[in-house]
Structures are given as C-alpha cells and as structure tokens.
Amino acid sequence: MQQNTNFKITNLGKATKTSPIHLSKTKGDNIFNFIEDSERILADVKMKNLEAALEGKAQPDSYERSGPREKVFFDGAKTTAAIVTCGGLCPGINNVIRSLVMALHYFYKVKRVVGIPYGYEGLNPEVGHEFMELTPDKVKNIHEFGGTILGSSRGQQDVSVMVDTLVENNIDILFTIGGDGTLKGANAIGTEIIKRGLKISVAGIPKTIDNDVDLIDKSFGFETSFDVACPIVRDAHNEANGAFNGMAIVKLMGRDSGFIAASTALSMPVVNFVLVPEMDFQLEGKNGFLENLKIRLQQKKHAVIVVAEGAGQHLFQNKTEEVTDASGNIQHKDIGLLLQQRIKEYFNKTDMKTTIKYIDPSYIIRSAPANANDSLYCNRLAYHAVHGAMAGKTNFVVGSVNNRFVYLPITDVTKKRKKIDMEGEFWFGVLQSTGQPFSMK
C-alpha cells in the first residue's frame, strides 16, 4: 500500500532518555499508556473518502497522535524553555502560559522557564526587553485574567537575530502562542535552527479568536468570544425591540472568517441577519439586504443584525490602496458604520420611521478571561505541546482534529485560512436560526 508522505513531523534526533512520567504500556491496568510515534489519527472520517483511499491502494491522510512518549529527547534538569505570545489578544493566553509552565516543571522537572516579552520583539536585543522568569508560583493565578502577562506585539524581526538570541540564552525549547503570522515566524525560526544544525525545538500553539486556523477543529479563545458576545446581542435585541421599527447592528470580530458572528447567532437566536466575509451579498435590489430588512420590520417591527468585521468590503466605493498592519493583515474599512449609514439613507426615502443602534464590543470580547470550556482546552493544548517538544519534535503545531489531539507541521496549517463552508450544515443552521434568505443578491 502506498505510504502517505504528508503531515510528517520533524524530529531533532533520536529520543533516548527515559521519560520521568511513570505511565504504562499495558492495556487494562487503569494507567494511561505512552503514545507511539506510529499512532495516527484520520484527517477525514467520511467513509466514502476512506474507501476511495483504500481502493487507490494509498493510506488515507492522517496526523501523528499527540501525547507523552516513553523516550524523550531533552533532560529536564538541563533544559531551558521559553514562551512567547504574539499578535492580538485572545481569551485563554494566560491559561496556556500557566499550563506550559506547570507541565514543564512538574511533569518533566524543567528547572528554568522564561517568558519572552512583547512578542518576537523580545528576541531582538536591540529593542531592550528583558526576559521574565516564569515559575509555578509566578503563574499560579494568571488564568483568572484576560490578556497576556508577557505582553504582545505584531511585526517581523530578523530570523537570524532571533535564533542568535535563543542560542546566547541557552534556550532548548521555544513555545510560540499566536496566529497565522506568528506560526509562519515560528516555522522560519525552526527552519533556521535546523539549517544551523542546532538542537532547539520550536512548538506552536495556535491562537486566533477568529477560529480561522486551517485543519484543526477550533482554536482556543473562540468559544469564549461568542460566549461573551451572546449577552451583548441579547441586550442589543432588547434595545431594538424597545423602539418602533428599532434596529441594532452588532459588529463582531472576524477579519476573513465569520465563525464568531455565525456562532453567536446560533447561540443567541434573536438575530435576524448575519453578514460574514464568506458571503457575496448586495445592499440594493429586489432581493438585496435592505429590501429584506424592510420586510422584516414590516412584519415584526424590529431587527437585530450581526456583522463580522471583514464582511461587505466590496461595498466600499472609494477603494484606495490596501493598508496592512504590522503583521501584514489587511486593515478593513468599518462595515458597521457603513451599514448604519446606508440603512438610514434607505429608510429616509420611505415613510417608515426607524431607530438604529450600532454596537462594537470587539476589544471587550478579546480581552476577556477564558470561560470554563476554553480553559479546559487551553490546558490540554499546553500539555500536548510540552509532550511533543520534550520528545524532540519541532516545527509543529498542536491541535484537535476530529476531537483527537494531534501534531501537525506548521507549514500545513498556514497554507490557507479556514472559512465557513457556505454549503455546509453549520451555515445552513445559521440560516435556519435567523430566517434570512439563502442569498441576498
């Protein structure tokens, strides 16, 4: 049978040291068993795709199962680990930091863990940021707060300089917590390390509130985001319902993918319209958004609209040269303000008296502490990342696929961003909840 060559994890070398974690290799003894590198998790669980792969005499796509190995690469007592957080804030970053420190210290007896301040800037000595010593006592309560105790930043730094800093500080493992740009930076650092023949592991823990990291089930902080957004939308509904022909527009985060907006609408089913970046919709016309909004008001006398920040960018007439942030992300124009203006103009031409409220709670949401489910997920991600790094794996991302934790090469999860499948069951569920038309074109 043809062996699939995708999704192979790079190793620094042969793991020869016995793990300090006392686990089992025997089934039925009620003790968790060590994971073998050969254990794989299917990428696609659809039967027809599995059958097609087998008929083609090829192994189906699969990922390396994560977890503790019997043999590890690093000796904890002689190992120094570092943690860096990059990009925008997201619920759960402190949870991940805390769990990394605790797992390194208590599972593998790692004596020193340092925090890299203010993202990749902290790996550039010219900037002048000093490392932060991270101990169990230092991090024991940080999960109760949002944000990141290490600080964050956007933008690239010289890869060679960053690797030099790791070498000069005798760092053996670098944990990077961040989104697409951070992971690409981590891969560049790991590649330079391999090029130099160094034995430094680089492990990525994907952080994006938008849930747009490809291949994995979800990214941490995402569930908290729509958990926090739900009462805001509930109150927005109360505002809209309290006025004759009242409308409330709530803009939520979602630069390229509308998972937060769509999930909020499903969780708080008082939303009547959801607009996401994946949609191609029109404002004007017989089946356009404005006409459908008018019909909604005529029937129910109020409406709630949830819009993702990246939706409707095609509606801006005065398109100038694209502006990007330090991470290279396109700076979108404010769709919420545009909708408010265009709705007001549209109804001013009619005999319908209306009221519009516009709410943008984005920075409140992303700065919130993780809820219970996200906290649980953050802890497990951190533990699996530690197990992989201590075993000598590098240039990998830890994530959940089909509800199983796996290691994936960074290069595979950063090829493209995950988006809502507009023909999928999830979006169909949103349409059923809101009652909006399948198409507004």
Side-chain angles (χ1 to χ4, degrees):
M1 180 175 288
Q2 180 182 341
Q3 178 70 38
N4 190 297
T5 57
N6 292 330
F7 311 119
K8 298 296 182 184
I9 302 300
T10 302
N11 291 277
L12 295 175
K14 186 175 178 59
T16 58
K17 299 174 178 62
T18 300
S19 172
I21 304 177
H22 302 295
L23 299 178
S24 174
K25 294 194 296 181
T26 304
K27 297 288 185 183
D29 62 357
N30 294 326
I31 299 174
F32 187 77
N33 292 330
F34 285 112
I35 306 299
E36 300 287 342
D37 282 351
S38 59
E39 294 186 46
R40 312 284 295 180
I41 301 297
L42 286 174
D44 191 335
V45 295
K46 296 186 182 72
M47 178 61 76
K48 67 175 184 179
N49 294 335
L50 174 60
E51 290 174 341
L54 297 177
E55 287 175 4
K57 296 184 178 179
Q59 288 193 348
D61 284 343
S62 62
Y63 308 119
E64 184 175 319
R65 185 183 174 192
S66 63
R69 269 51 176 175
E70 184 180 10
K71 295 293 183 180
V72 296
F73 185 81
F74 293 106
D75 178 352
K78 302 176 181 178
T79 298
T80 297
I83 305 170
V84 64
T85 61
C86 307
L89 296 182
C90 172
I93 302 176
N94 280 336
N95 300 68
V96 174
I97 295 170
R98 181 187 189 278
S99 295
L100 287 173
V101 173
M102 296 301 189
L104 288 163
H105 182 86
Y106 290 110
F107 298 173
Y108 290 100
K109 316 303 178 187
V110 172
K111 298 301 182 184
R112 185 171 186 240
V113 183
V114 297
I116 309 297
Y118 301 109
Y120 287 142
E121 278 187 8
L123 289 173
N124 183 352
E126 291 186 0
V127 179
H129 300 316
E130 294 185 4
F131 288 1
M132 179 188 298
E133 297 292 328
L134 299 176
T135 64
D137 190 60
K138 175 83 172 179
V139 302
K140 64 182 181 181
N141 295 322
I142 64 173
H143 62 290
E144 298 177 13
F145 304 95
T148 164
I149 63 163
L150 299 180
S152 186
S153 69
R154 296 186 185 274
Q156 299 178 352
Q157 300 294 324
D158 186 286
V159 173
S160 183
V161 170
M162 291 192 288
V163 174
D164 288 342
T165 302
L166 295 176
V167 173
E168 291 166 6
N169 288 273
N170 300 311
I171 292 172
D172 304 290
I173 300 172
L174 175 65
F175 293 99
T176 64
I177 306 171
D180 185 74
T182 304
L183 295 176
K184 288 178 179 176
N187 191 64
I189 292 171
T191 301
E192 176 67 13
I193 287 169
I194 294 171
K195 180 181 176 182
R196 296 191 192 185
L198 304 172
K199 301 301 181 182
I200 303 174
S201 169
V202 178
I205 300 166
K207 170 205 66 71
T208 165
I209 198 171
D210 293 349
N211 195 38
D212 60 358
V213 174
D214 198 29
L215 301 180
I216 64 175
D217 294 338
K218 64 177 180 178
S219 50
F220 76 82
F222 165 63
E223 288 198 5
T224 301
S225 68
F226 66 86
D227 187 19
V228 175
C230 279
I232 296 171
V233 170
R234 177 200 62 206
D235 295 344
H237 172 258
N238 293 338
E239 277 285 346
N241 199 33
F244 180 72
N245 288 336
M247 290 170 279
I249 303 169
V250 181
K251 189 181 76 171
L252 299 176
M253 301 183 81
R255 182 185 293 114
D256 299 300
S257 305
F259 289 104
I260 296 177
S263 298
T264 301
L266 272 173
S267 301
M268 183 58 64
V270 295
V271 178
N272 309 115
F273 296 93
V274 178
L275 306 177
V276 295
E278 294 88 342
M279 290 175 63
D280 180 15
F281 67 95
Q282 296 174 345
L283 291 181
E284 308 288 347
K286 183 178 179 180
N287 196 44
F289 167 73
L290 293 173
E291 185 63 25
N292 279 287
L293 177 59
K294 178 181 177 181
I295 294 171
R296 163 70 194 184
L297 291 179
Q298 289 173 337
Q299 293 174 343
K300 300 294 183 180
K301 308 307 179 188
H302 72 278
V304 177
I305 304 148
V306 170
V307 57
E309 62 179 310
Q313 294 302 302
H314 62 285
L315 300 173
F316 291 90
Q317 295 177 350
N318 299 323
K319 289 189 175 181
T320 57
E321 186 176 342
E322 289 181 345
V323 178
T324 59
D325 62 19
S327 299
N329 300 308
I330 296 174
Q331 294 288 286
H332 290 316
K333 297 180 183 297
D334 196 324
I335 182 61
L337 290 176
L338 177 72
L339 283 178
Q340 183 183 33
Q341 176 186 348
R342 296 291 295 274
I343 291 171
K344 185 179 295 185
E345 291 173 353
Y346 177 80
F347 284 104
N348 281 344
K349 297 175 183 178
T350 71
D351 58 356
M352 292 180 65
K353 180 183 176 182
T354 61
T355 302
I356 309 173
K357 304 293 185 183
Y358 174 46
I359 303 165
D360 180 359
S362 299
Y363 289 101
I364 296 172
I365 292 171
R366 76 175 196 167
S367 302
N371 66 12
N373 206 35
D374 256 332
S375 180
L376 181 156
Y377 188 54
C378 289
N379 295 343
R380 298 185 73 189
L381 283 173
Y383 295 161
H384 284 281
V386 168
H387 293 316
M390 288 300 297
K393 302 181 187 301
T394 191
N395 286 31
F396 73 92
V397 167
V398 62
S400 172
V401 176
N402 298 322
N403 292 317
R404 297 290 187 276
F405 285 90
V406 299
Y407 298 133
L408 307 96
I410 293 177
T411 50
D412 285 299
V413 300
T414 55
K415 285 181 179 177
K416 60 186 179 71
R417 294 183 188 255
K418 182 170 66 175
K419 294 181 179 292
I420 296 174
D421 178 3
M422 302 306 284
E423 295 185 15
E425 187 277 332
F426 173 69
W427 183 246
F428 179 52
V430 173
L431 297 178
Q432 291 179 101
S433 177
T434 62
Q436 71 190 65
F438 286 7
S439 173
M440 288 187 285
K441 294 173 60 178

